[in-house]
Amino acid sequence: MSRFDCSFDDCYDHWDKTLEYLPESSECLELKTYEYYEFEGCFCTIKCLPDTCLCLGRSGTHYTFKEQQILDSYSICETDIRKPIYECNDNCGCSGKLCGNRLVQCGPRKGLKIVEYDVKGLSLITTTSISAGNFVCEYAGVIITRDMAKKRYPLYKEKYGKNYIFCINEQFGEDTYKTIIDPTECGNIGRYINHSCGPNCSLYVIRIRNGLPKLCIFANEDISDGDEICFNYGDNILNVDTKEPVNPIHCVCGKLNCKKYLPFDCSCFD
Ligand SMILES: C[S@@+](CC[C@H](N)C(=O)[O-])C[C@H]1O[C@@H](n2cnc3c(N)ncnc32)[C@H](O)[C@@H]1O
């Protein structure tokens, strides 16, 4: 896969046309907190280096690559996963084609397919092999307020019998920032990724032009052609007081270390 032949058409082929396809997350009108303020771009010429590039300097993590022009040769390199990741963008001086700090903005990888797999309902599989560290896709949807999540959750549960609303908690010093993503009626192929207690993918929060957090899925091991893509939805399995499952849906991931129930972040809906 070369760096700039990535398109959404491949994924769109398998998309349920009754839903609105959103290639990347965006904020609902009621929120509009992130998109107003654009980051200052870096002043690098052609190539970005960690010591001099403003964007890489802000990041806790960066990409490594064998061949700069080949997207598949990019992998995520963890240095400090507590810090957010910032990609270079249109405000930067570096060359879009040669900059090694642009990956998520090139779109989801090719060969992802939505299939009816098992009792989990629809699932996302890959029809090509994926190397550990490669980018898979964003879990894209509309970023909504907590009040909206609270109202929508029971309505969706009744209508679809499933939950697609996902909550990210980011720690900045003493403060925890909560972002709620709703891909239920407006999202991308990420909404079909199921939970596993022993997942083959991990989540990273990545920012590109502004503070809007993008929930990005990366392979955490080599994944074979035909395998289902899955990530861990979270750690909240049992209520700390009652020891009852916070979400009574039985997990059917089939892993030896399966925690029996799907994780659920109640704090999105309080
Ligand atoms: C984000 S959606 C994933 C796509 C979904 N399977 C579909 O058919 O559209 C999350 C929902 O999928 C189902 N699900 C995901 N992972 C599961 C698992 N490990 N065990 C059982 N159900 C699962 C649950 O119904 C959950 O609310």
Side-chain angles (χ1 to χ4, degrees):
M1 193 191 335
S2 88
R3 194 160 158 68
F4 290 97
D5 70 357
C6 217
S7 81
F8 294 109
D9 301 348
D10 220 36
C11 305
Y12 195 81
D13 274 352
H14 311 289
W15 182 251
D16 173 350
K17 306 284 191 293
T18 61
L19 305 169
E20 191 179 329
Y21 192 88
L22 196 66
E24 55 178 336
S25 288
S26 70
E27 288 177 279
C28 65
L29 288 173
E30 291 80 350
L31 212 60
K32 288 288 169 209
T33 45
Y34 297 116
E35 285 168 355
Y36 280 131
Y37 173 74
E38 295 231 335
F39 294 140
E40 186 184 1
C42 66
F43 302 102
C44 307
T45 48
I46 307 177
K47 204 174 166 189
C48 295
L49 298 169
D51 289 342
T52 47
C53 172
L54 223 106
C55 308
L56 285 174
R58 283 191 205 112
S59 289
T61 304
H62 61 271
Y63 307 128
T64 53
F65 50 87
K66 289 187 217 95
E67 282 181 74
Q68 213 165 27
Q69 297 276 17
I70 309 289
L71 272 182
D72 244 12
S73 79
Y74 278 56
S75 57
I76 199 148
C77 161
E78 281 182 31
T79 49
D80 181 355
I81 54 162
R82 287 165 301 160
K83 282 193 187 172
I85 304 165
Y86 298 90
E87 288 197 356
C88 289
N89 60 61
D90 299 345
N91 297 329
C92 295
C94 53
S95 152
K97 280 196 177 170
L98 295 174
C99 169
N101 190 31
R102 300 175 193 233
L103 176 58
V104 166
Q105 60 193 270
C106 298
R109 64 175 297 114
K110 287 192 166 201
L112 299 174
K113 195 172 169 190
I114 301 157
V115 294
E116 184 110 41
Y117 209 46
D118 54 24
V119 286
K120 289 173 284 194
L122 297 169
S123 307
L124 192 70
I125 65 157
T126 175
T127 59
T128 60
S129 58
I130 307 180
S131 301
N134 278 183
F135 175 56
V136 178
C137 67
E138 185 181 342
Y139 189 91
V142 181
I143 299 189
I144 57 169
T145 64
R146 214 189 268 201
D147 276 352
M148 291 164 102
K150 216 166 132 183
K151 283 192 197 122
R152 290 180 185 191
Y153 177 70
L155 297 175
Y156 287 158
K157 206 167 157 191
E158 174 125 357
K159 189 168 172 191
Y160 303 106
K162 291 169 195 162
N163 176 44
Y164 296 91
I165 298 178
F166 198 86
C167 188
I168 318 170
N169 292 305
E170 288 180 281
Q171 197 73 34
F172 291 98
E174 299 286 294
D175 303 319
T176 305
Y177 283 85
K178 200 174 278 298
T179 305
I180 305 173
I181 301 178
D182 181 6
T184 314
E185 293 180 337
C186 198
N188 77 342
I189 30 124
R191 75 195 283 287
Y192 295 106
I193 305 179
N194 289 313
H195 162 83
S196 170
C197 300
N200 52 15
C201 289
S202 303
L203 297 180
Y204 292 83
V205 180
I206 294 187
R207 290 175 166 81
I208 302 175
R209 284 173 295 277
N210 51 42
L212 191 134
K214 290 174 180 296
L215 188 53
C216 298
I217 318 284
F218 284 79
N220 60 24
E221 61 186 33
D222 291 340
I223 304 177
S224 307
D225 161 6
D227 280 358
E228 185 186 351
I229 303 293
C230 46
F231 68 89
N232 184 345
Y233 286 1
D235 304 321
N236 312 316
I237 308 282
L238 296 180
N239 181 306
V240 276
D241 299 322
T242 63
K243 305 285 178 248
E244 294 290 317
V246 281
N247 185 2
I249 298 179
H250 283 278
C251 177
V252 294
C253 72
K255 297 288 174 186
L256 281 177
N257 63 340
C258 178
K259 307 241 171 43
K260 308 277 183 281
Y261 295 98
L262 286 194
F264 186 70
D265 188 347
C266 311
S267 66
C268 284
F269 308 101
D270 300 341

